[in-house]
Amino acid sequence: MGSLSYFRVADVVLFCLLLISNSRVAYGSNYHEDFDITWGDGRGKIVNNGELLSLSLDKYSGSGFQSKREYLFGKIDMQLKLVPGNSAGTVTAYYMSSQGSTHDEIDFEFLGNLSGEPYTIHTNVYIQGKGEREQQFHLWFDPTADFHTFSILWNPQTIVFSVDGTPLREFKNLEKIGVPFPKTQAMRLYSSIWNADEWATRGGLIKTDWTRAPFTASYRNFNAHACIKSSSRASSCTSATQSNHASWLSQKLDPTLQRRLKWVQNNYMIYNYCTDTKRFPQGFPPECNAKVT
């Protein structure tokens, strides 16, 4: 991360300050104010005076929601409790994405499994419409027993996927060696639950047990410290955002978090595109050789 100069980060901060308009920092967790349930015919619900959101899947349909606002860089936190019990065949997605064929996207996907087996946490980064940067993990706890905070840090230097403050994955800005990095397209936050038993659990060998439906994932305590898109051209941050909450704009992994990241990847990573020789017989992508994916 030291390869990105201080001045480039400072330019982003100045950019946000110069474009002050009607936008504000988004933090809090009133789901009525922050999100729209976009599909599911009643299977998505906001309850408890806007403090809790749930998405359900049954044999006929899943459900989903999206943020009302678009963000250009930010620190996004959401507490999730995943589908308990036999969740084989189900996928709960939690991700940021822009629009169009050349979209950018930052993905968490939670692949269900049989009772007692671990969830698979699937991560990916799309840049200008191209993904194929998958890393997968198991977790050191049961993500269905209680709420846990899943976070996306996205700033000009890096993208970090974290759970409860522990980083799972980092994707650094390596434009200097020709690796594209998402930095111009604002993204909404999305989540959805759907049936993917043709591929999700052991390559589709285990099918969804519909006698256990509905399958429900729950959400609470959304927080976003971010530059919010306020027009078709610009994003902006208020001065309050800059003075009180802008540490995320230049945040990087300190030595303690780097050690935690290494611990996770050594013990809980189950797939890394940067070691899949069958997919890349002509050589790995350049970020793999830089060992900073």
Side-chain angles (χ1 to χ4, degrees), residues 35-104:
F35 294 95
D36 292 315
I37 294 175
T38 50
W39 64 284
D41 194 24
R43 293 172 178 83
K45 294 181 173 63
I46 299 174
V47 297
N48 292 358
N49 296 317
E51 295 181 356
L52 184 71
L53 187 152
S54 64
L55 295 179
S56 292
L57 164 71
D58 59 30
K59 192 172 183 178
Y60 304 99
S61 179
S63 51
F65 66 81
Q66 69 180 40
S67 63
K68 294 180 184 289
R69 301 174 183 89
E70 295 177 89
Y71 309 104
L72 183 59
F73 301 126
K75 172 68 161 54
I76 309 296
D77 301 314
M78 183 87 79
Q79 289 193 326
L80 281 74
K81 183 163 69 172
L82 299 178
V83 176
N86 180 0
S87 57
T90 71
V91 173
T92 304
Y94 163 60
Y95 62 102
M96 299 181 72
S97 182
S98 59
Q99 299 296 308
S101 59
T102 58
H103 71 290
D104 297 332

Side-chain angles (χ1 to χ4, degrees), residues 119-289:
Y119 261 78
T120 295
I121 311 301
H122 177 98
T123 67
N124 204 352
V125 177
Y126 285 77
I127 306 166
Q128 299 169 12
K130 185 178 185 301
E132 299 182 349
R133 300 177 177 93
E134 303 93 342
Q135 291 182 352
Q136 294 183 344
F137 306 84
H138 287 157
L139 293 173
W140 50 96
F141 57 85
D142 180 359
T144 74
D146 202 352
F147 285 91
H148 292 271
T149 302
F150 292 88
S151 304
I152 295 170
L153 170 67
W154 170 37
N155 66 30
Q157 300 181 93
T158 192
I159 296 167
V160 178
F161 300 77
S162 300
V163 56
D164 294 335
T166 294
L168 304 178
R169 175 180 185 176
E170 181 178 22
F171 186 90
K172 291 185 179 181
N173 185 332
L174 289 175
E175 291 177 301
K176 68 175 186 178
I177 63 170
V179 179
F181 189 81
K183 63 180 184 180
T184 60
Q185 299 188 69
M187 302 191 208
R188 294 187 192 275
L189 182 67
Y190 298 85
S191 191
S192 58
I193 183 170
W194 76 93
N195 177 44
D197 66 1
E198 72 278 6
W199 63 268
T201 307
R202 295 183 59 193
L205 294 178
I206 302 175
K207 301 302 181 182
T208 303
D209 181 359
W210 293 112
T211 66
R212 296 177 177 268
F215 303 97
T216 301
S218 301
Y219 306 75
R220 71 181 187 189
N221 291 344
F222 163 72
N223 282 276
H225 300 300
C227 292
I228 304 170
K229 184 177 179 181
S230 56
S231 71
S232 60
R233 296 182 180 179
S235 70
S236 67
C237 295
T238 67
S239 57
T241 305
Q242 292 304 317
S243 62
N244 297 325
H245 303 287
S247 62
W248 56 265
L249 263 177
S250 57
Q251 185 176 343
K252 58 183 180 180
L253 298 184
D254 62 24
T256 297
L257 290 176
Q258 289 174 0
R259 287 192 294 271
R260 292 169 74 180
L261 174 66
K262 185 176 181 180
W263 172 78
V264 170
Q265 298 202 338
N266 286 343
N267 292 281
Y268 296 98
M269 179 184 284
I270 59 172
Y271 177 81
N272 183 2
Y273 75 110
C274 282
T275 61
D276 192 339
T277 55
K278 291 182 179 179
R279 285 182 63 187
F280 301 103
Q282 305 303 317
F284 294 116
E287 69 269 19
C288 298
N289 297 326

